[in-house]
Amino acid sequence: MRESSAQDRRSDAALIRACQQGDPEAFRHLYRRHHSLVRATLFHLCDPSTLDDLVQEVFLKAWRGINTMRQEAKFSTWLYRIAYNVGADYRRSVAKHLSKQEKAMHSDAASEAPNWQSLHHQDLVQRGLAHLRPEHAMVLILSDLEELSQTDIAQTLEIPVGTVKSRLFHARAILRRFFEQEGVSL
């Protein structure tokens, strides 16, 4: 038990080095440390019924890519970018599937409107987030979608609160311009 709690206190960088040296227990600690935020990030991008599979996919991709991870990158930012990409891939897949279903169906289009409108809004947010640099998108997701405080975001991403505020300001400005270009007034 002492070894486990000692690893729990190790920095992400130390755990990454241990993973790169073949220590699967170190990756378990990274998983436990970051699981809930990855899950929360995916919750806003995907169908809740797929969360378990998508979280597993994120961590599988992280495990496979951990040996190529650059040490100057923060693990949390790198991991949440993987989560965002997995979520975006899922959304594209769902949109493609729904488009095929719509073409195949000959039912009343009005009965499908609420689902399509929701999908449209989710797609609009997703496309807007894609215009942001990963570090800006992550701060925006954690702040506006996950409703974390700026202090909590700073601690999670291991950056100063001032950096969180700056990234949030820039992310919101870029997203606001994107929505305006798409005809959405805020």
Side-chain angles (χ1 to χ4, degrees), residues 17-35:
R17 282 191 298 278
C19 288
Q20 291 171 336
Q21 294 169 357
D23 180 1
E25 188 62 29
F27 193 78
R28 284 194 230 3
H29 288 285
L30 288 169
Y31 173 84
R32 284 192 287 262
R33 188 176 289 170
H34 296 280
H35 172 266

Side-chain angles (χ1 to χ4, degrees), residues 55-69:
V55 169
Q56 183 177 5
E57 183 178 342
V58 168
F59 281 98
L60 182 59
K61 286 180 184 241
W63 172 250
R64 288 179 179 158
I66 197 99
N67 287 329
T68 61
M69 185 185 169

